[in-house]
Structures are given as structure tokens and as C-alpha cells.
Amino acid sequence: MRLGPVPAALVLGAAALAALLAQRLAAVAVIAGVLLAVSLRAPASRRRPYLVGILGSGLGVLVLSPFLTAQGFHVLWSGPTVPVLGKLDVTEEELSIAALNALRLVAVALAFTVYALLVDHDRLVSAAGFARRSALGVALATRLVPSLERDGVGFAEAVRGRGVPVEGVRGHARLVSPLVAGSLERATNLAEAMEVRGFGRPGHTKAPRPPWTRLDRAAAVAAGVLVLAAALWL
Amino acid sequence: MALASVDDLTYTYAEAAAPALRDVSLELEDGEVVAVLGPSGSGKSTLLRALAGLVPHFHGGRFRGRVTVAGLDTRRARPADLAGTVATVFQDPEDQVVMARVENEVAFGLENLGTPPAEIWPRVRGALDAVAGAHLATRRTAELSGGELQRVCLAAALAVRPRLLLLDEPTSQLDPDAAEHFLERVEDLRTTVVLAEQRTTRALALASRVLFLEGGRLLLDSPRVQALEWLALHRPAYLPGASVGNGHVPHLGETVCRVRGAVYAYGAGRPALDGVDLDVRRGEVVVLEGPNGSGKTTLAKLAAGLLQPHAGTVERTVRAGYLSQDPGRYVVRERALDEVALAVHDRGRAQVALDLVGLGPFAERHPRDLSSGERERLGLAAVAVAEPELLVLDEPTRGIDPHRKAEIADWLFGQAAQGRAALVATHDRSFPADRRIALGKEAPVAV
């Protein structure tokens, strides 16, 4: 039995919120671990860029933030004094906070990954009664992420195919502007296609969808309980 | 009363110097299948957009004249008001798919039009059946091939039971078999169809009436038989079976690209290429053929050095230039001239390359302001300007009119005669070659 898209989105939102509210490292680690396990259900080729990005960002927070904050008294490493930043040292407390923040970031990003890769956005849009346009906008933006990735590779390939190397920050920066313009053009084409298909016309209806199951209802309740628990006890 | 009428329409896009349509008048009757032919940039897509109400509502610009569809004046009725009466399938299916699953995509238009909920799923199934796409219903749209996606777009258009179906080069991204199947579905419809196409053979076989646009003017509006006579007299390149023949006798030189046992896979899936061999020699034009997904593009990229094989070898003794199959990739700079000059930093040479592909007058234009066919030619100029010894062209004739196609073929054989080599991956069976290699079988087959 599978969760419906609305309860699934509720659970994922609750997990992300719980990760932000929880103060215990272990609790956030468990949430991130569960989300990671769920995300592994997505096809490897689709999940790879998300997971690489998430792990990179998490590591970045873990490594850098102890140097950018000054908290705690249990010094593990004492470094030189750097202009603007001051004295560089790493304390046990800073490491602990960095680990918590890194895990929070990872958990929130994993919740989005699961939403992007495994949730049926169409039914989510359909369920959004009063905010259909906004829900559709979010769903389309999510769906266009892989297109953006493909466009980036395609631009680089077309430039290299002309014998022009695409190397370093400068080489890649040259592609940012056409990439942004390209996604705007794609969005315009999509808007045109939606317009001719009657989007925005008053009096729209919805195709009938399966009703919520017991599992869906239980998941919605569990989502609320998770947020409450994170705020009060975790 | 006519289903649709266009009265003395002249339309200029916002910020364009010249009208895209000039003094166009015509009427469409119920049940007609109308083929719209003409060079790229001649106004075919604009005419379809005018019939859908997108011109002027979506694109702005200056609109003179009148277009009425099912009694609605498009100056007052918006495209969304015409939806249901008019349905449109555009050239690129990726730019028109809204939903993540096929059945929801087909249902999208029905929901927008306020179709009673109980009717939606039966009509979705009916439309998918009509395009032989019932098996696709629960698939994710992101996982479909171009041909499958275009059929889904047609199903979505048919589901709303339009009186007027507008098809804007709907087969340009499909291989010949997929295009044939798509147009067979169109033939079975009982609705008015306006079909803009560069693949004229099938379109002319399908049409009961033919329009020919050039420079925004309607040069021909005739029943098919008279239209064929007119084309034979005035535009023979558009006739079915018109060949682009080369008459080229290759003087073969040394091998410039040798592929042996090449294997390449995207991700963990089945290899796109599995043990392929290929030789390309100086002085010849080699065409790679095969259906969508047969590995033509992958082999072309391996030959050009853009991909490295996971197994096997690729040896190249000369510099290669690669033309992407997506003309939207040649928009890195702000002006067409600068775009072409990117590889050589020489505007003089860039201007010559632009002139060669007939885009000389558009040197100052932004590449994004060019039509799809014009962008294709811009890409060709951008690659050719560096004078690579091995030209690797991926679908160079997509969306290109027959005249330009013949010019590209002539130019390519001219390059071969100068001792260069060319490898062309294409769906276009009429594109001439010294040698053709068919992919998508157990092993590449020379044909």
C-alpha cells in the first residue's frame, strides 16, 4: 500500500520541520537517516545529483561553520588570528552545533528530494483546491530542475563542439546567462501551451481521485505528532 | 458558415522590423485537412498562432485585420476562451507538457474546460486509444521518448474534441516511422486540421488543401491536385520525392576517425551503444540512420570527442566540429554575429559563415529572435566557421525547408570535395550521402 500524495507531502513537511525544531543531534540524525533511506527508492540516476549536492552542502556546513563562530570553552584546536575573522579555533561546542546544523540542512534537503523524486505532483496539484495555481507553479518548478540540468550539459557540449573549451569558473560562468534565459524561454513556451489548453479559465473541474485510505489518515496524524514531539521533547 | 476565417491579416511581432504575416486571407471549412508549407520564417507558425488566438494576445505586436474561429473574434476572445474549440500541438513536446503522468496530462485540458468529472477519465482513455497510447497512461512523462511524448500531446489535444486542430511541425523530432504513425493518427481524425510541416511528402498525401507561405504572404491556397501542379511549376523542392541528390563522386583519403567496439551507457541502464565500429575517411559524407534511441547522437558525440567510450576505442587524427541537434544551444552571445565568432574571434569570418547559411542580414539579431529553422542554420555557421576537418552534424535538417536542406547538402559535399570528412546523424532519409550506416540493429549495417 502506498501513501497518497497529500499525506506524503504532509509527512515530508513535518519531517523537515521536526529536523529544524529538534535540539538533539541523535533525533535529527534519525530523521535524516530515515529520509535518506526513503530517497534511495528513487532511481539511482535521478537521485545521484540530489544526494551529491546534499552531502556536499552538509559537509560544507560541518567543516566551515566552526571557523566562523566563536562558542564554547573546550578548545580542540587553536589556530592563527586572521583579519576580519579573528582568532581561528575549534571548540567541542562549535563542532556539536555545526553537526546539528549540517544534519538539519541534510534532513530538509532530503525531504525535498523525496518530494521531488517520489511524490505524485499531479495529484498534489489536484488536491490543492483553493491554491491550484500556486501548487502547479511549485510542481512545474520542481519538474523543470532536471530540464535545467540537461540544458546546462547541452550548452557546455555545444560550445565544446565548436572547439571552445569550457573550463574553470570563467568558462562555466559564460553559460549561466544563456541557461537562465533558456529556462525563461522554456517557461514562456509552457505558459503559451497552457494558455491554449484553457488554463486559468473560470469553472475548471477535477478528475475524480481515489479517496484517502486509513494509512493516509494515520500518516497525516503522525505528521502532526512528529512536529509536536520535535518541538516539545526531541 | 466557415469554421474559421482570416481576413486581410497583417501581423508584426513586438520589436520586429517586418510583418510576419502580410495581407493573409483564407477560410477553413469543417473537416478539411490543410497543409501549410513554406520556408522557415515564412509565417507558418504565426498563422497557426493567429488561429489559436495566441497572436496577438500572448505575443503582443501589431495586429491588423480579423480572425474569427467558430464565430469568436480573436481580438476579443482570448486563447483560453478558444480552448476546446481549438487545440494546438507545438513542435517541441517537452515545452508543452505540464503534468508528470500521462493520464493527468491528457486530463489537464479537460479539467481546465470544466468537463464534468465523471466524463474525464473515459475521455482520457478514449483519446489515448485514438493515438494507440493506452499503454502509456500511467507512465511518467519525463520517461517517454520524443515520439511517445508527441503522441501524448496529440491525445491531450484530441481529448477536448476540438473542431479545429492546429499542428505546428509536430513530427520534426520524430524518426520517419514514428512520424508516419503520428500522421496516420491525424488522418483518422474527423476534425479540421491545419498542419504546418517541412516533411512535405506525408503532409501532402494527407491534405485536402495546401497553403504556401513565403515572406509572410500567402502565395498558394488550392486543393491538393492544383497545389501539386503549382508546386511542380514554382517550388519543385517541396514536391513529394524531390531528391536533394548530390552527384558527388567521393575521392577518399585517409581515415580521420576510427571507432572500434565502442560501448557507451547513460547511467546504469542498457548501453546506448554496444560494440559499434565506424570509419570516416576524408572526402566522404557518411550518414548515420536509425530510429529514436538507436544511438546515433551518442556515436556522433563519440566521434566528435565530446564523449569517451566506456569500452572500445575512438581514434581521431583531425580536429572535429560538432553541431548539436538542439538549435537552442547556439544562443550564448547577444548577437548572431558574435555567436558565430565565438570559436574564431574574427567577425569577418563569422559574417562569411552567416552569409553562407543565408543569415547574413540577421547578423545583428539576437539568436533567440530567430525562428527554429534559422537557429538551426546559425548553429551550422557557428560550427563551420572554425573549418574543422571532421564535421559531425546531429540532425542538421530538422525544421529546415527543402531549399535550405539542398543548400546544406551541397555545402557539405563541397567540404568533402575539399578533402574534409562529414558524419551526419539524421532521421531524414532523403539526405544524400556517400555511405549510410543504420544503427538500432544487432550491429551497424551499411546500406
Side-chain angles (χ1 to χ4, degrees):
Chain A
M1 189 184 274
R2 291 190 62 182
L3 270 185
V6 177
L10 283 175
V11 169
L12 290 171
L17 193 56
L20 291 174
L21 291 171
Q23 298 297 323
R24 292 170 201 247
L25 192 66
V28 184
V30 168
I31 293 171
V34 170
L35 288 168
L36 177 65
V38 176
S39 72
L40 295 180
R41 291 179 60 194
S45 58
R46 296 188 65 215
R47 71 179 184 237
R48 190 176 301 119
Y50 287 88
L51 295 186
V52 169
I54 290 168
L55 292 178
S57 311
L59 271 176
V61 171
L62 180 64
V63 171
L64 292 178
S65 64
F67 297 106
L68 303 174
T69 55
Q71 282 179 314
F73 303 101
H74 301 92
V75 179
L76 299 173
W77 175 78
S78 194
T81 301
V82 175
V84 182
L85 294 177
K87 186 167 174 53
L88 287 184
D89 55 20
V90 177
T91 66
E92 211 176 299
E93 291 82 356
E94 284 168 352
L95 262 188
S96 170
I97 291 169
L100 183 66
N101 286 335
L103 274 174
R104 281 174 171 162
L105 176 69
V106 166
V108 171
L110 282 171
F112 174 77
T113 302
V114 174
Y115 161 79
L117 298 181
L118 294 172
V119 172
D120 184 343
H121 302 136
D122 295 351
R123 285 177 62 193
L124 209 56
V125 170
S126 175
F130 65 94
R132 185 170 179 250
R133 277 169 182 261
S134 309
L136 188 61
V138 173
L140 282 173
T142 309
R143 202 168 64 71
L144 290 177
V145 170
S147 304
L148 202 62
E149 189 191 332
R150 272 202 306 274
D151 285 347
V153 172
F155 275 122
E157 219 165 53
V159 171
R160 286 197 291 129
R162 292 191 253 173
V164 180
V166 182
E167 288 164 353
V169 176
R170 201 173 162 199
H172 285 92
R174 177 161 52 192
L175 303 179
V176 171
S177 162
L179 198 56
V180 172
S183 55
L184 289 174
E185 189 178 18
R186 195 184 285 281
T188 307
N189 292 342
L190 192 60
E192 186 180 28
M194 288 168 71
E195 175 104 28
V196 293
R197 295 175 70 187
F199 184 70
R201 214 160 107 153
H204 71 86
T205 50
K206 288 184 203 171
R209 304 287 176 181
W212 279 37
T213 61
R214 260 189 219 167
L215 182 66
D216 291 336
R217 284 192 287 272
V221 172
V225 170
L226 180 61
V227 173
L228 199 65
L232 297 178
W233 302 300
L234 296 177
Chain B
M1 183 183 160
L3 169 61
S5 69
V6 178
D7 298 319
D8 202 21
L9 174 62
T10 296
Y11 173 73
T12 310
Y13 283 102
E15 296 175 23
L21 290 174
R22 300 164 193 258
D23 308 319
V24 172
S25 295
L26 59 97
E27 289 193 340
L28 297 171
E29 302 295 338
D30 273 312
E32 282 188 307
V33 177
V34 181
V36 186
L37 309 182
S40 47
S42 61
K44 301 187 296 296
S45 295
T46 307
L47 177 62
L48 266 59
R49 278 166 169 74
L51 289 165
L54 289 165
V55 161
H57 290 289
F58 193 85
H59 293 277
R62 292 193 301 280
F63 184 99
R64 195 194 75 209
R66 203 161 83 123
V67 178
T68 54
V69 180
L72 293 171
D73 187 329
T74 63
R75 287 172 302 182
R76 285 184 286 278
R78 296 190 59 82
D81 301 324
L82 293 169
T85 305
V86 182
T88 310
V89 177
F90 296 98
Q91 193 173 350
D92 187 348
E94 274 211 33
D95 281 0
Q96 53 193 310
V97 169
V98 180
M99 307 303 270
R101 288 195 189 274
V102 168
E103 58 190 1
N104 299 326
E105 176 64 20
V106 180
F108 178 73
L110 293 168
E111 291 178 324
N112 291 335
L113 298 179
T115 307
E119 287 181 27
I120 292 178
W121 292 126
R123 282 174 66 172
V124 167
R125 282 191 288 273
L128 283 170
D129 279 340
V131 299
H135 62 290
L136 303 174
T138 56
R139 296 267 304 274
R140 292 175 71 93
T141 49
E143 293 165 358
L144 301 184
S145 70
E148 289 170 331
L149 207 52
Q150 198 61 297
R151 266 196 287 165
V152 171
C153 293
L154 180 62
L158 296 182
V160 300
R161 295 176 185 161
R163 290 181 64 193
L164 176 58
L165 179 61
L166 305 172
L167 304 175
D168 189 3
E169 296 192 36
T171 66
S172 65
Q173 305 202 11
L174 308 185
D175 62 57
D177 291 335
E180 182 79 10
H181 288 140
F182 182 91
L183 293 175
E184 273 172 15
R185 304 293 162 203
V186 172
E187 195 169 18
D188 295 338
L189 302 174
R190 300 278 182 271
T191 190
T192 307
V193 177
V194 181
L195 169 67
E197 260 295 349
Q198 293 294 6
R199 288 176 163 176
T200 55
T201 303
R202 192 76 183 101
L204 284 170
L206 195 71
S208 54
R209 181 176 155 199
V210 180
L211 310 180
F212 193 94
L213 281 163
E214 203 170 82
R217 291 191 190 281
L218 188 57
L219 300 189
L220 168 76
D221 180 357
S222 296
R224 185 162 59 99
V225 176
Q226 288 90 323
L228 289 172
E229 289 169 8
W230 185 91
L231 288 171
L233 207 58
H234 301 285
R235 300 290 184 275
Y238 287 81
L239 279 177
S243 74
V244 191
N246 62 65
H248 173 247
V249 180
H251 297 288
L252 297 179
E254 84 270 16
T255 300
V256 293
C257 180
R258 187 191 306 273
V259 179
R260 288 291 176 270
V263 177
Y264 192 89
Y266 295 93
R270 195 172 62 87
L273 287 177
D274 197 358
V276 172
D277 296 342
L278 171 75
D279 285 306
V280 185
R281 299 173 67 177
R282 278 190 192 278
E284 69 173 344
V285 176
V286 179
V287 158
L288 293 176
E289 295 180 331
N292 289 104
S294 60
K296 299 188 297 295
T297 294
T298 307
L299 183 52
K301 285 180 182 174
L302 285 173
L306 292 174
L307 295 177
Q308 300 306 317
H310 294 147
T313 58
V314 178
E315 293 168 23
R316 203 175 34 261
T317 58
V318 294
R319 190 164 49 86
Y322 171 81
L323 174 72
S324 166
Q325 65 173 270
D326 184 348
R329 303 298 185 215
Y330 297 92
V331 291
V332 176
R333 293 290 176 89
E334 304 288 318
R335 297 189 310 164
L337 186 67
D338 294 337
E339 183 68 34
V340 175
L342 181 71
V344 292
H345 307 290
D346 181 339
R347 290 188 174 159
R349 279 171 70 185
Q351 185 64 54
V352 172
L354 275 176
D355 290 339
L356 183 82
V357 297
L359 291 179
F362 299 156
E364 297 301 316
R365 287 245 197 116
H366 194 294
R368 289 191 189 280
D369 291 337
L370 302 178
S371 75
S372 171
E374 289 162 351
R375 281 192 199 183
E376 191 77 53
R377 285 186 275 145
L378 178 71
L380 187 61
V383 172
V385 70
E387 299 178 356
E389 293 293 299
L390 170 61
L391 283 153
V392 182
L393 311 182
D394 196 356
E395 298 292 353
T397 62
R398 193 168 77 174
I400 294 223
D401 61 74
H403 280 302
R404 291 292 176 199
K405 190 167 86 177
E407 284 175 12
I408 289 172
D410 285 347
W411 174 78
L412 209 52
F413 281 101
Q415 296 292 306
Q418 290 171 31
R420 296 199 173 92
L423 180 64
V424 182
T426 182
H427 287 143
D428 189 344
R429 286 174 180 158
S430 67
F431 196 84
D434 295 318
R435 198 151 56 88
R436 309 182 90 81
I437 293 174
L439 293 176
K441 298 182 168 60
E442 285 300 308
V445 177
V447 289

